[in-house]
Amino acid sequence: MSNTHNAPRKDLVEKESEREAVEEASGLSPRLIFETIRQNGEEELDRPTKALFWSGIAAGVLISFSVLGEAILRAHLPETSGRFLVENLGYSLGFVLVILGRMQLFTENTITTVVPAMINPSVACFTKTARLWAIVLGSNVLGAFAISAFLIHTPVLSPQLVAVINDLSHHATGMGAWVGFLRGIPAGILIAAIVWMLPSAQNNEVLVIVIFTWMIAAGDFTHVVAGSVEMAVLMLQGQLPPGAAVFSFFLPVLAGNIIGGTAVFTMLAYAQIKPEIEEDPKRA
């Protein structure tokens, strides 16, 4: 009987160039993705306050194109039962601008800046994370209000389009605190999933962002920054009282996004690579 099956398997990849091609084709391992996010997170935590602030302002302004994109498609598409599946593609526009533009979006930081704190759970690291969260969230909201004031109080938009934006905004902010909180959890998971997948997207970044943010809109999930534009639009027109805006929409959705991005996705992602880190700390 032949001993072929018992013989050591010969490595079919002999050239270094071939090995590199195999490694590239196999993609990044979960540990390497985690390490990439950790390094990016540490860089963000050390950025100056002014840089974070203005980047957050820019993100708050640019995310308004998610609301505009969806409103424009709704205004021009015929009324059919499946119209919302097409119009929700417009929701992805603002996220493409913000994420590929490397602007500071709060919900991205529910994973990016949390990873360093999980690897190095120190008071200094938690303090840096809290500082960044406060600056970015505040500047995101400020940018959202600034662009909303421009859209509502200037003739840049047609009355028809303003009416559509108002309809979208009433729906987004009027579902109640508990529902808004629960629907914020899947949105937080999906944004964290985008951050996780981008390092291995291999020139498919736009497709990844569009698919996952389209799912947020199509699933009628809630996102605190994009929703802040809709909240601001109504508040600036006197159609949403401040108390209802803060306690029925903003804080519940914020909590849902944090739980989805940090407590669910980031913890699960860390759990799968933690044994490798504990086995060989130098590889983390």
Side-chain angles (χ1 to χ4, degrees), residues 142-166:
L142 186 58
F145 269 86
I147 190 62
S148 298
F150 172 74
L151 295 175
I152 296 302
H153 296 307
T154 68
V156 65
L157 301 180
S158 67
Q160 177 194 17
L161 198 54
V162 171
V164 174
I165 291 175
N166 284 341

PDB file of all heavy atoms in Angstrom, residues 142-166:
ATOM      1  N   LEU A 142     -23.419  70.468  17.175  1.00  0.00           N
ATOM      2  CA  LEU A 142     -23.291  71.872  16.788  1.00  0.00           C
ATOM      3  C   LEU A 142     -23.279  72.014  15.271  1.00  0.00           C
ATOM      4  O   LEU A 142     -23.938  72.908  14.703  1.00  0.00           O
ATOM      5  CB  LEU A 142     -22.013  72.456  17.391  1.00  0.00           C
ATOM      6  CG  LEU A 142     -21.788  73.968  17.212  1.00  0.00           C
ATOM      7  CD1 LEU A 142     -22.939  74.755  17.809  1.00  0.00           C
ATOM      8  CD2 LEU A 142     -20.468  74.379  17.860  1.00  0.00           C
ATOM      9  N   GLY A 143     -22.540  71.143  14.590  1.00  0.00           N
ATOM     10  CA  GLY A 143     -22.525  71.175  13.136  1.00  0.00           C
ATOM     11  C   GLY A 143     -23.883  70.863  12.546  1.00  0.00           C
ATOM     12  O   GLY A 143     -24.294  71.461  11.542  1.00  0.00           O
ATOM     13  N   ALA A 144     -24.609  69.928  13.173  1.00  0.00           N
ATOM     14  CA  ALA A 144     -25.953  69.576  12.705  1.00  0.00           C
ATOM     15  C   ALA A 144     -26.898  70.767  12.814  1.00  0.00           C
ATOM     16  O   ALA A 144     -27.704  71.022  11.904  1.00  0.00           O
ATOM     17  CB  ALA A 144     -26.490  68.389  13.500  1.00  0.00           C
ATOM     18  N   PHE A 145     -26.820  71.500  13.910  1.00  0.00           N
ATOM     19  CA  PHE A 145     -27.675  72.675  14.072  1.00  0.00           C
ATOM     20  C   PHE A 145     -27.288  73.781  13.092  1.00  0.00           C
ATOM     21  O   PHE A 145     -28.161  74.473  12.549  1.00  0.00           O
ATOM     22  CB  PHE A 145     -27.600  73.197  15.510  1.00  0.00           C
ATOM     23  CG  PHE A 145     -28.639  72.609  16.418  1.00  0.00           C
ATOM     24  CD1 PHE A 145     -28.419  71.399  17.061  1.00  0.00           C
ATOM     25  CD2 PHE A 145     -29.847  73.247  16.619  1.00  0.00           C
ATOM     26  CE1 PHE A 145     -29.378  70.833  17.883  1.00  0.00           C
ATOM     27  CE2 PHE A 145     -30.825  72.695  17.442  1.00  0.00           C
ATOM     28  CZ  PHE A 145     -30.587  71.486  18.079  1.00  0.00           C
ATOM     29  N   ALA A 146     -25.996  73.946  12.858  1.00  0.00           N
ATOM     30  CA  ALA A 146     -25.551  74.993  11.936  1.00  0.00           C
ATOM     31  C   ALA A 146     -26.065  74.749  10.521  1.00  0.00           C
ATOM     32  O   ALA A 146     -26.602  75.657   9.867  1.00  0.00           O
ATOM     33  CB  ALA A 146     -24.020  75.074  11.940  1.00  0.00           C
ATOM     34  N   ILE A 147     -25.922  73.523  10.026  1.00  0.00           N
ATOM     35  CA  ILE A 147     -26.373  73.237   8.667  1.00  0.00           C
ATOM     36  C   ILE A 147     -27.898  73.241   8.585  1.00  0.00           C
ATOM     37  O   ILE A 147     -28.470  73.657   7.571  1.00  0.00           O
ATOM     38  CB  ILE A 147     -25.802  71.880   8.173  1.00  0.00           C
ATOM     39  CG1 ILE A 147     -26.073  71.698   6.688  1.00  0.00           C
ATOM     40  CG2 ILE A 147     -26.362  70.729   8.964  1.00  0.00           C
ATOM     41  CD1 ILE A 147     -25.438  72.736   5.780  1.00  0.00           C
ATOM     42  N   SER A 148     -28.570  72.831   9.649  1.00  0.00           N
ATOM     43  CA  SER A 148     -30.029  72.864   9.656  1.00  0.00           C
ATOM     44  C   SER A 148     -30.544  74.292   9.579  1.00  0.00           C
ATOM     45  O   SER A 148     -31.523  74.571   8.874  1.00  0.00           O
ATOM     46  CB  SER A 148     -30.574  72.166  10.915  1.00  0.00           C
ATOM     47  OG  SER A 148     -30.204  70.807  10.936  1.00  0.00           O
ATOM     48  N   ALA A 149     -29.908  75.209  10.307  1.00  0.00           N
ATOM     49  CA  ALA A 149     -30.303  76.619  10.247  1.00  0.00           C
ATOM     50  C   ALA A 149     -30.117  77.168   8.835  1.00  0.00           C
ATOM     51  O   ALA A 149     -30.970  77.925   8.327  1.00  0.00           O
ATOM     52  CB  ALA A 149     -29.474  77.427  11.246  1.00  0.00           C
ATOM     53  N   PHE A 150     -29.037  76.771   8.192  1.00  0.00           N
ATOM     54  CA  PHE A 150     -28.791  77.221   6.821  1.00  0.00           C
ATOM     55  C   PHE A 150     -29.862  76.684   5.868  1.00  0.00           C
ATOM     56  O   PHE A 150     -30.385  77.413   5.016  1.00  0.00           O
ATOM     57  CB  PHE A 150     -27.405  76.758   6.364  1.00  0.00           C
ATOM     58  CG  PHE A 150     -27.123  77.003   4.915  1.00  0.00           C
ATOM     59  CD1 PHE A 150     -26.862  78.288   4.454  1.00  0.00           C
ATOM     60  CD2 PHE A 150     -27.119  75.959   4.002  1.00  0.00           C
ATOM     61  CE1 PHE A 150     -26.600  78.531   3.109  1.00  0.00           C
ATOM     62  CE2 PHE A 150     -26.862  76.179   2.667  1.00  0.00           C
ATOM     63  CZ  PHE A 150     -26.601  77.468   2.215  1.00  0.00           C
ATOM     64  N   LEU A 151     -30.211  75.420   6.022  1.00  0.00           N
ATOM     65  CA  LEU A 151     -31.185  74.804   5.115  1.00  0.00           C
ATOM     66  C   LEU A 151     -32.588  75.357   5.313  1.00  0.00           C
ATOM     67  O   LEU A 151     -33.347  75.509   4.346  1.00  0.00           O
ATOM     68  CB  LEU A 151     -31.195  73.281   5.327  1.00  0.00           C
ATOM     69  CG  LEU A 151     -29.907  72.531   4.974  1.00  0.00           C
ATOM     70  CD1 LEU A 151     -30.033  71.051   5.341  1.00  0.00           C
ATOM     71  CD2 LEU A 151     -29.571  72.680   3.498  1.00  0.00           C
ATOM     72  N   ILE A 152     -32.941  75.655   6.563  1.00  0.00           N
ATOM     73  CA  ILE A 152     -34.307  76.079   6.867  1.00  0.00           C
ATOM     74  C   ILE A 152     -34.511  77.579   6.681  1.00  0.00           C
ATOM     75  O   ILE A 152     -35.557  78.021   6.197  1.00  0.00           O
ATOM     76  CB  ILE A 152     -34.681  75.668   8.312  1.00  0.00           C
ATOM     77  CG1 ILE A 152     -34.690  74.146   8.436  1.00  0.00           C
ATOM     78  CG2 ILE A 152     -36.030  76.247   8.713  1.00  0.00           C
ATOM     79  CD1 ILE A 152     -35.641  73.447   7.478  1.00  0.00           C
ATOM     80  N   HIS A 153     -33.526  78.375   7.038  1.00  0.00           N
ATOM     81  CA  HIS A 153     -33.704  79.828   7.068  1.00  0.00           C
ATOM     82  C   HIS A 153     -33.118  80.550   5.864  1.00  0.00           C
ATOM     83  O   HIS A 153     -32.985  81.776   5.876  1.00  0.00           O
ATOM     84  CB  HIS A 153     -33.115  80.395   8.362  1.00  0.00           C
ATOM     85  CG  HIS A 153     -33.815  79.914   9.596  1.00  0.00           C
ATOM     86  ND1 HIS A 153     -35.178  80.006   9.775  1.00  0.00           N
ATOM     87  CD2 HIS A 153     -33.344  79.303  10.727  1.00  0.00           C
ATOM     88  CE1 HIS A 153     -35.522  79.511  10.940  1.00  0.00           C
ATOM     89  NE2 HIS A 153     -34.416  79.067  11.543  1.00  0.00           N
ATOM     90  N   THR A 154     -32.748  79.825   4.839  1.00  0.00           N
ATOM     91  CA  THR A 154     -32.329  80.431   3.568  1.00  0.00           C
ATOM     92  C   THR A 154     -33.135  79.766   2.447  1.00  0.00           C
ATOM     93  O   THR A 154     -33.682  78.677   2.633  1.00  0.00           O
ATOM     94  CB  THR A 154     -30.823  80.224   3.303  1.00  0.00           C
ATOM     95  OG1 THR A 154     -30.572  78.832   3.058  1.00  0.00           O
ATOM     96  CG2 THR A 154     -29.983  80.702   4.476  1.00  0.00           C
ATOM     97  N   PRO A 155     -33.214  80.396   1.281  1.00  0.00           N
ATOM     98  CA  PRO A 155     -33.994  79.807   0.173  1.00  0.00           C
ATOM     99  C   PRO A 155     -33.219  78.756  -0.619  1.00  0.00           C
ATOM    100  O   PRO A 155     -33.480  78.543  -1.797  1.00  0.00           O
ATOM    101  CB  PRO A 155     -34.321  81.030  -0.694  1.00  0.00           C
ATOM    102  CG  PRO A 155     -33.184  81.968  -0.466  1.00  0.00           C
ATOM    103  CD  PRO A 155     -32.776  81.774   0.977  1.00  0.00           C
ATOM    104  N   VAL A 156     -32.275  78.070   0.015  1.00  0.00           N
ATOM    105  CA  VAL A 156     -31.456  77.092  -0.705  1.00  0.00           C
ATOM    106  C   VAL A 156     -32.279  75.873  -1.126  1.00  0.00           C
ATOM    107  O   VAL A 156     -31.983  75.242  -2.140  1.00  0.00           O
ATOM    108  CB  VAL A 156     -30.242  76.673   0.153  1.00  0.00           C
ATOM    109  CG1 VAL A 156     -30.675  75.933   1.404  1.00  0.00           C
ATOM    110  CG2 VAL A 156     -29.275  75.826  -0.663  1.00  0.00           C
ATOM    111  N   LEU A 157     -33.333  75.554  -0.362  1.00  0.00           N
ATOM    112  CA  LEU A 157     -34.191  74.418  -0.687  1.00  0.00           C
ATOM    113  C   LEU A 157     -35.573  74.901  -1.111  1.00  0.00           C
ATOM    114  O   LEU A 157     -36.067  75.921  -0.608  1.00  0.00           O
ATOM    115  CB  LEU A 157     -34.335  73.486   0.528  1.00  0.00           C
ATOM    116  CG  LEU A 157     -33.055  72.880   1.098  1.00  0.00           C
ATOM    117  CD1 LEU A 157     -33.386  71.996   2.295  1.00  0.00           C
ATOM    118  CD2 LEU A 157     -32.301  72.078   0.052  1.00  0.00           C
ATOM    119  N   SER A 158     -36.187  74.154  -1.991  1.00  0.00           N
ATOM    120  CA  SER A 158     -37.550  74.479  -2.411  1.00  0.00           C
ATOM    121  C   SER A 158     -38.523  74.159  -1.281  1.00  0.00           C
ATOM    122  O   SER A 158     -38.248  73.295  -0.437  1.00  0.00           O
ATOM    123  CB  SER A 158     -37.926  73.669  -3.651  1.00  0.00           C
ATOM    124  OG  SER A 158     -38.012  72.288  -3.345  1.00  0.00           O
ATOM    125  N   PRO A 159     -39.683  74.849  -1.246  1.00  0.00           N
ATOM    126  CA  PRO A 159     -40.687  74.518  -0.223  1.00  0.00           C
ATOM    127  C   PRO A 159     -41.100  73.051  -0.246  1.00  0.00           C
ATOM    128  O   PRO A 159     -41.364  72.466   0.803  1.00  0.00           O
ATOM    129  CB  PRO A 159     -41.866  75.439  -0.592  1.00  0.00           C
ATOM    130  CG  PRO A 159     -41.231  76.592  -1.316  1.00  0.00           C
ATOM    131  CD  PRO A 159     -40.082  75.995  -2.078  1.00  0.00           C
ATOM    132  N   GLN A 160     -41.147  72.457  -1.426  1.00  0.00           N
ATOM    133  CA  GLN A 160     -41.497  71.043  -1.536  1.00  0.00           C
ATOM    134  C   GLN A 160     -40.486  70.168  -0.811  1.00  0.00           C
ATOM    135  O   GLN A 160     -40.852  69.252  -0.076  1.00  0.00           O
ATOM    136  CB  GLN A 160     -41.577  70.625  -3.006  1.00  0.00           C
ATOM    137  CG  GLN A 160     -41.875  69.141  -3.199  1.00  0.00           C
ATOM    138  CD  GLN A 160     -41.623  68.660  -4.616  1.00  0.00           C
ATOM    139  OE1 GLN A 160     -40.940  69.341  -5.394  1.00  0.00           O
ATOM    140  NE2 GLN A 160     -42.151  67.484  -4.953  1.00  0.00           N
ATOM    141  N   LEU A 161     -39.204  70.486  -0.999  1.00  0.00           N
ATOM    142  CA  LEU A 161     -38.154  69.669  -0.378  1.00  0.00           C
ATOM    143  C   LEU A 161     -38.132  69.880   1.136  1.00  0.00           C
ATOM    144  O   LEU A 161     -37.908  68.928   1.895  1.00  0.00           O
ATOM    145  CB  LEU A 161     -36.800  70.020  -0.991  1.00  0.00           C
ATOM    146  CG  LEU A 161     -35.667  69.005  -0.782  1.00  0.00           C
ATOM    147  CD1 LEU A 161     -36.094  67.618  -1.250  1.00  0.00           C
ATOM    148  CD2 LEU A 161     -34.412  69.439  -1.514  1.00  0.00           C
ATOM    149  N   VAL A 162     -38.381  71.102   1.589  1.00  0.00           N
ATOM    150  CA  VAL A 162     -38.446  71.362   3.025  1.00  0.00           C
ATOM    151  C   VAL A 162     -39.578  70.555   3.657  1.00  0.00           C
ATOM    152  O   VAL A 162     -39.436  69.986   4.744  1.00  0.00           O
ATOM    153  CB  VAL A 162     -38.632  72.866   3.300  1.00  0.00           C
ATOM    154  CG1 VAL A 162     -38.916  73.107   4.789  1.00  0.00           C
ATOM    155  CG2 VAL A 162     -37.389  73.645   2.873  1.00  0.00           C
ATOM    156  N   ALA A 163     -40.705  70.488   2.950  1.00  0.00           N
ATOM    157  CA  ALA A 163     -41.840  69.719   3.464  1.00  0.00           C
ATOM    158  C   ALA A 163     -41.491  68.239   3.588  1.00  0.00           C
ATOM    159  O   ALA A 163     -41.869  67.573   4.568  1.00  0.00           O
ATOM    160  CB  ALA A 163     -43.051  69.908   2.548  1.00  0.00           C
ATOM    161  N   VAL A 164     -40.770  67.702   2.612  1.00  0.00           N
ATOM    162  CA  VAL A 164     -40.357  66.297   2.670  1.00  0.00           C
ATOM    163  C   VAL A 164     -39.389  66.071   3.829  1.00  0.00           C
ATOM    164  O   VAL A 164     -39.501  65.073   4.565  1.00  0.00           O
ATOM    165  CB  VAL A 164     -39.710  65.863   1.338  1.00  0.00           C
ATOM    166  CG1 VAL A 164     -39.152  64.446   1.453  1.00  0.00           C
ATOM    167  CG2 VAL A 164     -40.716  65.938   0.199  1.00  0.00           C
ATOM    168  N   ILE A 165     -38.434  66.991   4.009  1.00  0.00           N
ATOM    169  CA  ILE A 165     -37.491  66.875   5.125  1.00  0.00           C
ATOM    170  C   ILE A 165     -38.229  66.916   6.457  1.00  0.00           C
ATOM    171  O   ILE A 165     -37.907  66.171   7.390  1.00  0.00           O
ATOM    172  CB  ILE A 165     -36.422  67.984   5.046  1.00  0.00           C
ATOM    173  CG1 ILE A 165     -35.503  67.743   3.846  1.00  0.00           C
ATOM    174  CG2 ILE A 165     -35.607  68.051   6.332  1.00  0.00           C
ATOM    175  CD1 ILE A 165     -34.498  68.841   3.605  1.00  0.00           C
ATOM    176  N   ASN A 166     -39.236  67.777   6.554  1.00  0.00           N
ATOM    177  CA  ASN A 166     -40.026  67.843   7.786  1.00  0.00           C
ATOM    178  C   ASN A 166     -40.746  66.523   8.062  1.00  0.00           C
ATOM    179  O   ASN A 166     -40.802  66.060   9.203  1.00  0.00           O
ATOM    180  CB  ASN A 166     -41.038  68.985   7.704  1.00  0.00           C
ATOM    181  CG  ASN A 166     -40.392  70.347   7.893  1.00  0.00           C
ATOM    182  OD1 ASN A 166     -39.288  70.456   8.424  1.00  0.00           O
ATOM    183  ND2 ASN A 166     -41.072  71.396   7.453  1.00  0.00           N
TER     184      ASN A 166
END
